[in-house]
Amino acid sequence: MDPRPIGVFDSGMGGLTVLHECLVTMPHEDFVYLGDGARLPYGPRPLDEIRRFALEIGNYLQAQGVKMVLVACNAATSAALPDLQEELEVPAVGVITPEAHAAVQATRNREVGLLATQATVSSGRYADLVRALDAGVRLHAIACPRLVPLIESDDPFGAETADAVREYAAPLKEAGVDTVILGCTHYPMIKPILQRVFGRDVTLVFSADETAREVAETLARKGIENDPSREGSYRFVTTGEPEVFRATGARFLQLPIAAVEHVELAELARVAA
């Protein structure tokens, strides 16, 4: 048995939707979640910059004594997962591969849409994975720069969000997609709006549950699971405002957040140096 926690990180709070599934799938494990609120959003940033942020956070979490790093951010997974796997001494997993696999399995007409941040679209990671799984599937990728700020705002279900979803969905509907990958961990928070715009005939893919299953399988394969008879704990760290994270984060996690610690960006850089 390995009692060390699992480290999870995202640019903000979207990764809490993945953490929720991990807490349900592995209730006996401990988790530490870092939200990089001071540099949110990652989506519009260059891939090299996101890679640097991800390596800083990965090294910080490793220094905190985690036994695995889960990159619960599509942009950071796209930009940095291979680098994290090469540099860190602990296993690192991301969120993209399970979604690409689920989309290829779900599509009936082999027309698949992708809604994601600009960084994730620019990386081409989803296109590469989908092509490797089924070269006959066509992927239609749309960058959605307005969605993350709207979802983390005080009015995520307002008219402005619905208008943005309609704008981004229009080219996918025109292409006749029957499956859409929600390629950002924030997007499941507005799934009712997305499903309303696309209709029931379009399958929305967000595989937090499959990502959690991959984490559990990796722990088992490497023999670093925790004692299954115990109840795990979770704690939170942010580079942004702790009170903002605590108040808004509970909406994403759908579980209580008692306290949030703050870490300075300079500390992340120092550990990574």
Side-chain angles (χ1 to χ4, degrees):
M1 298 301 168
D2 190 332
R4 291 178 296 167
I6 297 165
V8 185
F9 78 87
D10 180 33
S11 59
M13 301 177 206
L16 293 170
T17 59
V18 179
L19 176 61
H20 176 91
E21 292 300 325
C22 288
L23 293 171
V24 172
T25 303
M26 295 162 281
H28 54 286
E29 296 287 352
D30 293 345
F31 293 86
V32 54
Y33 179 98
L34 190 149
D36 193 9
R39 300 184 287 203
L40 178 78
Y42 281 6
R45 296 179 182 272
L47 291 170
D48 284 347
E49 188 174 37
I50 299 171
R51 186 176 299 111
R52 176 170 61 83
F53 295 170
L55 288 169
E56 285 180 359
I57 295 170
N59 278 285
Y60 173 82
L61 289 171
Q62 180 170 265
Q64 294 285 302
V66 303
K67 60 184 174 184
M68 172 187 282
V69 171
L70 168 56
V71 188
C73 172
N74 300 72
T77 299
S78 301
L81 184 59
D83 301 87
L84 287 164
Q85 290 171 333
E86 185 175 339
E87 181 163 322
L88 299 181
E89 296 174 7
V90 298
V93 299
V95 291
I96 287 181
T97 301
E99 290 176 345
H101 187 263
V104 169
Q105 288 188 318
T107 184
R108 303 174 302 280
N109 66 4
R110 302 170 99 188
E111 301 287 346
V112 174
L114 168 65
L115 298 177
T117 65
Q118 184 61 61
T120 299
V121 171
S122 298
S123 75
R125 287 283 294 141
Y126 276 105
D128 291 344
L129 286 166
V130 166
R131 192 178 303 114
L133 292 163
D134 184 347
V137 172
R138 291 202 295 178
L139 185 73
H140 309 267
I142 303 295
C144 311
R146 294 165 58 196
L147 288 186
V148 168
L150 286 168
I151 293 167
E152 290 212 1
S153 74
D154 293 333
D155 189 21
F157 301 105
E160 190 175 355
T161 304
D163 288 344
V165 168
R166 289 190 195 94
E167 174 190 331
Y168 298 137
L172 299 184
K173 294 172 76 172
E174 187 174 339
V177 302
D178 71 352
T179 303
V180 174
I181 300 169
L182 305 185
C184 173
T185 52
H186 283 72
Y187 297 174
M189 288 297 296
I190 58 165
K191 188 175 178 180
I193 296 176
L194 289 157
Q195 199 73 74
R196 161 74 173 162
V197 169
F198 282 106
R200 285 291 182 195
D201 290 339
V202 173
T203 301
L204 301 182
V205 171
F206 174 69
S207 54
D209 54 342
E210 293 183 29
T211 300
R213 197 175 306 119
E214 181 179 346
V215 171
E217 289 171 355
T218 302
L219 294 177
R221 189 167 61 249
K222 294 185 176 295
I224 53 174
E225 298 164 291
N226 208 337
D227 183 346
S229 66
R230 67 186 294 278
E231 181 179 347
S233 64
Y234 51 93
R235 67 184 184 91
F236 303 93
V237 182
T238 183
T239 59
E241 293 293 331
E243 185 53 35
V244 172
F245 184 101
R246 191 193 66 77
T248 308
R251 193 172 75 210
F252 285 79
L253 187 64
Q254 301 176 60
L255 288 167
I257 295 180
V260 181
E261 304 164 37
H262 178 76
V263 62
E264 297 288 346
L265 293 175
E267 175 65 9
L268 298 184
R270 184 192 67 77
V271 172

